[in-house]
Amino acid sequence: MEGTGSYLTLVIVGVLITFGVGQILLRSGQPFLDDVFRNKESAHSINRLLVVLFHLLTLGVLGMISIIDVSESAGPAQTIVFKLGLVLLIVGIAYGISMLVLLRIRERRRQQAVSAEIDQTIAEQRRGPGRFRRGGAPDGEPRSPSEQPED
């Protein structure tokens, strides 16, 4: 029965860790996603979907790790600690990958905003009254005879 006790301990502690980290991601990720998506409703929906994805992946990994056999010379406590270490490692990797993806999305959105702003500024300059011709005088302003190009 020692194996069953170790198994249950691992599963219970792993589930508690998974849901604890999931709640932290849910609460702490919301302002970040609000900034990325600029729409609170979309950001909230995406945040919940990401947390569900995190839970599913982590619990799936926990289930697979829980059946891994560790060296028979290791005691039950060592086995649980080793397996929880694997769970924490995988949770950390999943979290890091999620953050990298979100940071790339945010950076792409910022680049698009800057690009749109630059495009708008250029378009305004092309349409504006201060548009220049080849001779250097703005459109619509008469040139003095000394400014006229020589033929």
Side-chain angles (χ1 to χ4, degrees):
M1 277 310 212
E2 182 175 281
T4 303
S6 296
Y7 175 78
L8 289 176
T9 302
L10 173 70
V11 170
I12 290 169
V13 172
V15 167
L16 291 174
I17 290 171
T18 299
F19 280 101
V21 172
Q23 287 302 306
I24 291 169
L25 290 174
L26 184 65
R27 290 185 186 122
S28 299
Q30 189 64 47
F32 180 79
L33 290 172
D34 288 344
D35 180 45
V36 170
F37 292 102
R38 309 226 191 268
N39 179 335
K40 285 201 180 278
E41 190 173 309
S42 294
H44 183 68
S45 296
I46 290 170
N47 193 20
R48 292 184 62 91
L49 291 171
L50 287 172
V51 170
V52 168
L53 177 65
F54 172 81
H55 284 134
L56 291 173
L57 289 175
T58 306
L59 291 173
V61 169
L62 176 64
M64 290 187 292
I65 289 173
S66 69
I67 62 168
I68 292 175
D69 286 331
V70 180
S71 171
E72 291 190 22
S73 64
Q78 292 164 329
T79 301
I80 291 172
V81 169
F82 176 77
K83 289 181 179 185
L84 281 177
L86 283 176
V87 170
L88 292 173
L89 185 65
I90 291 172
V91 167
I93 291 169
Y95 176 77
I97 291 170
S98 299
M99 289 307 299
L100 286 174
V101 169
L102 291 174
L103 287 171
R104 284 188 178 172
I105 290 171
R106 181 173 71 175
E107 187 59 32
R108 191 175 309 131
R109 296 256 173 149
R110 285 183 178 173
Q111 287 175 353
Q112 288 172 346
V114 168
S115 178
E117 187 177 308
I118 290 170
D119 289 346
Q120 182 180 5
T121 303
I122 290 171
E124 287 173 1
Q125 288 176 352
R126 287 181 180 165
R127 285 190 303 252
R131 191 170 172 197
F132 290 93
R133 275 200 255 160
R134 188 175 184 186
D139 287 343
E141 290 184 19
R143 295 183 188 189
S144 67
S146 63
E147 293 178 332
Q148 296 294 326
E150 295 180 19
D151 294 14

